[in-house]
Amino acid sequence: MNGQSKAIINLLRGWPNAGLLPKAQLRTTTAKVLSDPDLSSEGLLYGPLPGNKSLRVELAAWLTRFYKPERSIEWERICISGGASQNLACILQVFSDPVFTRNIWMVSPTYFLACRVFEDSGFTGRLKGVPEDDDGINIEYLRRGLQQSERDAKANGNSKPMLKPQRAWNKIYQHIIYAVPTFANPSSKTMSLERRQQLVSVAREYDALLVTDDVYDQLQWTVSPSPSPTLKEAVQPRIVDIDRFYQGGAERAGADGFGNAVSSGSFSKIVAPGCRAGWAEGSALFVAGLSNAGSTNSGSAPSQLTASFMTEFLASGALENHLYGTLQPSYARRYRTMIDAIKDILVPLGITLPQSERTVIGGYFIWMSLPTPLKADDLAIYAQQKENLIIAPGSLFGVAGDMKDGELEREVRICFAWVEEDMIRESIERLGRAISRMRDAVAHGQEVSSLVSRGQVVDPRYQ
């Protein structure tokens, strides 16, 4: 049967289903802000460089409730941004030098669209993938890479920033380390507490800045459907919190006060992607520097109008009501439907899943490994052509310019957030048929290349 006669199912697209967008709540919120002369004027005019103070205060209170750090989060540790991707671009503008900053270290598999942001900042050819295990990033692999990078820098006389001016409110780090520590995109893994602490120690040792996307942290639920309480506390402390307190913290004796970690947060996953608003959290000194990025200095606070809406959305309780009353139960139900289908249909075919002993799961994605000798690139093409099913092969998530032979060739990422809920099981049935037919063909000596037409490929824009 030709796959095009079936309705398309897209398990690659990492978006929220349109039915989960809080349209009515946002209509109420925006109407209230725009009908208030003071709030509307504030939102429609230029704002202070760090962003809307009221939103910074509301975020600090909410993040304190959720992460339960040793001390409350001060609002001065937060600045408002256009979201996690803009955070990353501005961080690189202020805190990196494309010569002095030796390398970008990325957990592999990685959020592949981040690679372009790093390359646009002058780091093409210097992105380095670091493998992960079930506890997270491989610390010894990272340490060996950092040691070699420092030897190379010393041999080349790379001892000071060459292209970025030194200013009182910034510093240039020797390395950047990028990770999604909780419910990672794409691997869905959660880094252990011990590994997070080790990562902070390594960052301090090698003058590295840890940039973490913490955008999925609140999207969490228990693996078991009963009981299924609302989870209003984080499963792990953020790396920025560990850097704040661990072994004397970011302001320990002898430290420069900038810290070695920054957390990127976003309203894209917990409200709507079209908000294009988020925040960054780090030391007060770091946040002051980030707020002075040239684009912010020129254009003033990013997303000022949306920030005024998000202030009211948080202060009124609408955000938490939406998160705990709609998103957590909806995504939990979607995840369980998909994982039950995977266990029924795909596991008997040889599919394996990471971190199978977890009691709390979250995010948007499920990461799977195919049985040998199947390859994910072949399966993605075959599933699209024969089942009209779009999946993400592991090769999409390699670190640009540093893919190893055979790396991620058997891995697949699928998303349960976008697809219509009543199509989730069918999507896994289609995937099961594709895997079964490919496995049978290989078992009978047939070349996989004969099963697919290479002219049709997955479009990575549907991330």
Side-chain angles (χ1 to χ4, degrees), residues 298-331:
S298 172
S300 192
S303 303
Q304 177 70 356
L305 180 59
T306 301
S308 66
F309 297 151
M310 291 300 99
T311 302
E312 174 61 24
F313 205 63
L314 254 173
S316 68
L319 186 146
E320 288 179 89
N321 288 340
H322 177 62
L323 176 60
Y324 302 129
T326 298
L327 294 185
Q328 279 194 6
S330 296
Y331 287 138

Side-chain angles (χ1 to χ4, degrees), residues 384-397:
Q384 188 172 357
Q385 291 178 353
K386 303 301 183 182
E387 296 288 346
N388 215 10
L389 175 71
I390 303 176
I391 61 173
S395 59
L396 275 180
F397 306 101

Side-chain angles (χ1 to χ4, degrees), residues 95-372:
F95 295 104
S96 76
D97 179 290
V99 176
F100 177 74
T101 303
R102 289 87 158 103
N103 290 104
I104 307 296
W105 305 89
M106 306 179 74
V107 177
S108 179
T110 195
Y111 169 55
F112 68 98
L113 294 177
C115 295
R116 171 71 180 275
V117 182
F118 290 118
E119 290 179 333
D120 283 353
S121 292
F123 291 101
T124 300
R126 288 188 289 136
L127 278 58
K128 300 293 183 182
V130 184
E132 63 177 351
D133 56 29
D134 271 357
D135 284 325
I137 189 170
N138 185 319
I139 293 293
E140 291 310 310
Y141 187 102
L142 174 63
R143 186 184 294 277
R144 289 194 300 272
L146 289 165
Q147 289 170 345
Q148 182 60 54
S149 183
E150 285 303 308
R151 287 193 291 268
D152 293 343
K154 184 176 180 179
N156 293 326
N158 186 7
S159 59
K160 63 180 181 180
M162 300 295 291
L163 302 178
K164 297 287 185 73
Q166 291 281 9
R167 297 185 171 101
W169 39 262
N170 82 329
K171 69 167 287 185
I172 303 299
Y173 290 86
Q174 294 178 195
H175 300 272
I176 304 291
I177 302 171
Y178 173 80
V180 186
T182 302
F183 313 133
N185 178 8
S187 74
S188 76
K189 293 180 180 179
T190 294
M191 195 182 298
S192 69
L193 175 59
E194 181 181 10
R195 198 62 60 87
R196 293 172 192 235
Q197 292 170 335
Q198 292 171 341
L199 189 53
V200 167
S201 295
V202 168
R204 290 174 179 175
E205 182 180 353
Y206 289 93
D207 188 31
L209 175 64
L210 293 160
V211 182
T212 61
D213 274 352
D214 298 318
V215 298
Y216 299 103
D217 292 22
Q218 292 83 18
L219 302 179
Q220 57 177 351
W221 49 87
T222 58
V223 172
S224 172
S226 181
S228 183
T230 298
L231 300 181
K232 297 183 178 182
E233 295 183 17
V235 67
Q236 290 283 9
R238 292 171 302 172
I239 286 175
V240 75
D241 295 318
I242 294 172
D243 186 47
R244 184 183 175 197
F245 299 113
Y246 186 59
Q247 295 181 343
E251 299 178 2
R252 65 197 180 281
D256 56 27
F258 282 94
N260 291 88
V262 56
S263 169
S264 279
S266 176
F267 292 107
S268 292
K269 303 299 186 292
I270 56 177
V271 180
C275 287
R276 306 318 310 143
W279 64 93
E281 182 185 336
S283 72
L285 193 58
F286 185 95
V287 164
L290 183 58
S291 300
N292 271 284
S295 57
T296 303
N297 214 311
S298 172
S300 192
S303 303
Q304 177 70 356
L305 180 59
T306 301
S308 66
F309 297 151
M310 291 300 99
T311 302
E312 174 61 24
F313 205 63
L314 254 173
S316 68
L319 186 146
E320 288 179 89
N321 288 340
H322 177 62
L323 176 60
Y324 302 129
T326 298
L327 294 185
Q328 279 194 6
S330 296
Y331 287 138
R333 189 171 59 249
R334 287 165 165 271
Y335 167 82
R336 290 171 186 142
T337 299
M338 183 170 278
I339 204 71
D340 286 347
I342 289 171
K343 290 177 179 178
D344 291 345
I345 300 166
L346 302 187
V347 170
L349 296 174
I351 288 290
T352 57
L353 301 163
Q355 293 187 329
S356 58
E357 301 303 316
R358 281 185 291 181
T359 59
V360 175
I361 190 70
Y364 273 12
F365 307 107
I366 294 176
W367 185 248
M368 307 180 297
S369 296
L370 300 175
T372 304

